[in-house]
Amino acid sequence: MSSIKTIYDHIRQNNIKTIFLVCLFPLLFIGTIYLFMYILMDTPAEAIEITLGVSVPTIIICLIWMLISWAFGDSMILNVAGAHEISPDDTSYREIYRSVENVALAAGLPTPRIYIIEDSSLNAFATGRSPRDASIALTRGLINKLDALELSGVIAHEMAHIGNRDIRLDMLIITGLGVTIFTADLLLRSAMYGNRSSHSDENKNDAIIWVIWLAFAAFNFIIAPLLQMAISRNREYAADATGALITRNPHALASALRKISGNSGLKRIKQMKTMSAICIAPATSTRAFSDSLMATHPPIQKRIERLESMTIK
């Protein structure tokens, strides 16, 4: 007879998988560039030289841009979502503040700033550089349609993302992909509008640029989305498990997810898949079969089933 997995088992397994997948990102990026250059170049040494010449500057630019995003990313995300901060002195939000404070206390984390998104949909996300300066955003629909226990479950899920440092992970992935996509666009423009000389050396350089662009395209649109999907799905499962542990009530979060599943689309970020990934449920539509395969969230029904099967020791 197989033993029932506890919340602690889910957290440990998801974190191990996520660490493994994150380590694959730079390795697969370098490996993709090398594979394409190995096919084109005459010797492996030439392929290695060009791979390092492309990969190292790209990774350095990623790190620099990540530092810029680290300083201003949370404000930009909240602004794009149309979120406004609520004051603890506002009596109309007293219950919301009390719920967030209680969950933060149970999680052993500082109370985050609280934002409201004036949208009738049911969704939420957390952002910030660290638990000390974190923010939680809740939609108006979520506040109006969930009961107190369900809302606490959603808040605990977002507090889990904060406590698990998922926000740092999201910023790393989003920033890294942004730089590689931008670099690929520059390479494409260079290949299309660059020097069109008939000289053999110039032709070879053009061929190298085209092959590097193909490597970037393969990484950006095939490899990276698959890894991002796997990482995000693992993180959602881990946040569900951790949130249930904080409230000691996995069924309340399962009930909240059941309600959220019917109306999670956020108007302000409906076309922004990178931001949709940080929400508790997809904020973009996933009608197409290919979109479902690349979805950053696991199916809500599976999340509900996992929560309802959990036991707390």
Side-chain angles (χ1 to χ4, degrees):
M1 181 176 178
S2 59
S3 59
I4 299 176
K5 289 185 178 181
T6 66
I7 287 174
Y8 302 97
D9 296 323
H10 285 286
I11 294 171
R12 183 172 60 254
Q13 290 179 7
N14 284 327
N15 286 339
I16 291 172
K17 290 177 182 177
T18 299
I19 292 171
F20 174 73
L21 289 169
V22 170
C23 291
L24 284 179
F25 254 95
L27 294 178
L28 285 177
F29 173 71
I30 295 172
T32 303
I33 302 295
Y34 176 75
L35 176 62
F36 277 74
M37 296 315 304
Y38 180 79
I39 295 172
L40 178 67
M41 304 309 295
D42 297 328
T43 65
E46 289 180 305
I48 292 173
E49 181 181 358
I50 295 177
T51 298
L52 293 177
V54 172
S55 301
V56 173
T58 302
I59 292 173
I60 291 173
I61 293 171
C62 283
L63 292 174
I64 294 172
W65 184 244
M66 187 174 65
L67 291 175
I68 296 173
S69 299
W70 188 267
F72 305 107
D74 56 341
S75 299
M76 293 169 61
I77 288 172
L78 291 165
N79 183 62
V80 169
H84 63 88
E85 188 173 3
I86 59 176
S87 168
D89 299 327
D90 191 336
T91 57
S92 60
Y93 295 110
R94 185 171 296 164
E95 291 302 318
I96 301 297
Y97 260 95
R98 186 177 299 168
S99 180
V100 174
E101 287 174 343
N102 289 340
V103 172
L105 181 63
L109 295 169
T111 301
R113 295 186 298 274
I114 307 170
Y115 287 77
I116 303 297
I117 302 172
E118 298 298 341
D119 194 301
S120 61
S121 64
L122 282 69
N123 222 316
F125 64 82
T127 186
R129 294 181 295 274
S130 69
R132 292 184 179 181
D133 61 7
S135 302
I136 287 180
L138 309 169
T139 63
R140 178 69 62 185
L142 193 79
I143 294 171
N144 291 340
K145 296 178 182 179
L146 299 189
D147 64 34
L149 290 178
E150 292 168 341
L151 186 59
S152 292
V154 170
I155 293 169
H157 173 98
E158 299 306 329
M159 291 299 300
H161 278 308
I162 294 170
N164 293 341
R165 274 54 174 188
D166 290 344
I167 301 168
R168 295 179 181 179
L169 176 63
D170 291 332
M171 192 172 296
L172 174 66
I173 294 171
I174 293 170
T175 302
L177 288 179
V179 171
T180 56
I181 290 172
F182 178 72
T183 305
D185 184 63
L186 290 180
L187 287 169
L188 180 60
R189 292 174 184 273
S190 175
M192 293 179 64
Y193 305 110
N195 189 353
R196 298 185 179 276
S197 170
S198 61
H199 195 278
S200 60
D201 289 340
E202 295 294 341
N203 289 336
K204 184 175 182 179
N205 289 338
D206 288 343
I208 291 173
I209 293 174
W210 274 110
V211 171
I212 294 174
W213 175 80
L214 287 173
F216 269 83
F219 179 80
N220 290 334
F221 300 109
I222 299 175
I223 298 172
L226 287 173
L227 286 177
Q228 186 181 22
M229 175 202 70
I231 291 173
S232 296
R233 289 187 176 190
N234 278 324
R235 279 329 216 181
E236 289 305 314
Y237 281 134
D240 285 344
T242 308
L245 176 62
I246 292 170
T247 61
R248 318 296 293 182
N249 190 349
H251 294 282
L253 179 55
S255 177
L257 288 175
R258 190 172 285 109
K259 291 182 179 179
I260 290 170
S261 65
N263 182 19
S264 63
L266 269 169
K267 295 178 183 177
R268 292 287 292 265
I269 61 174
K270 222 167 187 179
Q271 305 302 321
M272 303 177 65
K273 292 186 177 181
T274 53
M275 278 193 62
S276 177
I278 69 174
C279 296
I280 191 171
T284 58
S285 60
T286 56
R287 288 189 291 268
F289 179 67
S290 59
D291 287 343
S292 299
L293 287 177
M294 293 295 190
T296 53
H297 293 70
I300 283 188
Q301 187 55 41
K302 287 187 178 181
R303 294 168 65 185
I304 293 171
E305 290 172 1
R306 285 196 178 200
L307 286 165
E308 290 179 338
S309 68
M310 287 179 182
T311 58
I312 300 176
K313 293 181 179 179

